[in-house]
Amino acid sequence: MTTLSRRQWLTGIGAAALAGKVSPSRAGAEPAPQSQPKPKMHLELSEFQPKSMLHVAETKVPRSRFPVIDVHTHLSFTASHQNGVPLGEKMSYPAPPQEVLEVMDRKNIRTLIDLTGGVGEGLEEVIRKFPAAHPGRFLVFTEPWWERANQPGYAKFQAEEIERAHRAGAKGLKIQKVLGLYLRENVTAGPLVKVDDPRFDPMWEACAGLNMPVAIHVSDPEAFFLPIDRFNERFEELNNHPDWSFYDRDFPSNEEILAARNRVYARHPQTNFITLHVGNDAENLPYVSECMDRYPNMYVELAARVGELGRQPRTARKFFEKYQDRIMFGTDAVPHGIQTPQQIYGDELYEIYYRFLETEDEYFDYAPAPVPPQGRWRIYGLGLPEEILRKVYYENAARLLGLNA
Ligand SMILES: [Zn+2]
């Protein structure tokens, strides 16, 4: 939608409500004294920051009830990308370990998992910098060599690289949405490579053999596959980042991507998949539940989806009760990650997650931002019992990763 048409829409439909200048129905009231009607105010949606007038409990949870393993953070990145595909072994770091550790100690975080540990020499550097220098506090996952996916012998090479990464100290494999949405037959050009392409089968099997869980993010929120228009509940976010939309061009549908992912789960029952962002479909917990029931090797974590879970607290609470042994704590935190306010690593972010899991507070912000960044709504706490909290905060992750709880 263009700025102009958005403005027209606001003028036509939204402005009256937004401006707060319209009298409520005066039925039964004295006729208003004659005066000049005030002109309607115009207000850009982006400037609308309503303050809740609810008088409800506000619980501050500065430390989690139990020690935390955050299974989804990004403390390192492959430095160079083309068309969404990471290239090369050189890594970049949003913050030094010391800065990260200070927050961990304040927030009762025992261990952070850095999922984007890269490949080859880059991976070795990340392992030296984080887990080797601070044992027990950090774990690192490796990634596929996407840029070699079109070369002859890739399937065998990739399986061997998983073994090499494991020897170097990688604890798991991270799959970014590169698979399904960016990686193409000629790496950055040509048709998209399917999530269940058989060339990756030896890679999934290598992970099973080495007991390395696969943290997998394929597809994206349902709204990212719909037009960026006034009916899109994530309009502002997509309007700010139009390149996050997979609505048109040659992208498959959300359903097709998730179905291909499910075929991978069925084909590799010995491989454990931590399906990131609540199974990549937190908007549709009935569907995620169906998948959890069908694939015992499927686990989930919460990262960047407390906004989704917390707006359906009764359904979410039932989901936590039913799958309490397969849900892990994750945030997708990125130090200084200002592009995504719901993921900025720091005290505020963890306090929101703890409040969501531990309290029954009502109608609070799911992100440390003046405007809810993933859609204009607020959330409700789940008030989970201690037994479930303990599992979600660390027990499930410790078991899956073979750590000493
Ligand atoms: Zn992430």
Side-chain angles (χ1 to χ4, degrees), residues 191-242:
L192 284 161
V193 174
K194 300 254 188 315
V195 171
D196 59 339
D197 191 291
R199 84 187 77 174
F200 303 114
D201 285 341
M203 173 176 81
W204 308 127
E205 284 304 309
C207 289
L210 297 164
N211 233 327
M212 290 166 76
V214 178
I216 182 166
H217 172 176
V218 293
S219 192
D220 245 348
E222 292 190 11
F224 289 18
F225 292 83
L226 297 172
I228 308 175
D229 63 15
R230 68 194 174 116
F231 299 111
N232 194 311
E233 66 174 0
R234 296 175 75 151
F235 170 79
E236 286 172 291
E237 183 185 26
L238 288 166
N239 204 33
N240 289 334
H241 307 275

Side-chain angles (χ1 to χ4, degrees), residues 72-74 115 174 217 276-277 332 343:
H72 188 167
T73 70
H74 300 282
L115 290 182
K174 167 75 191 286
H217 172 176
L276 304 176
H277 309 300
D332 210 354
Q343 290 161 231

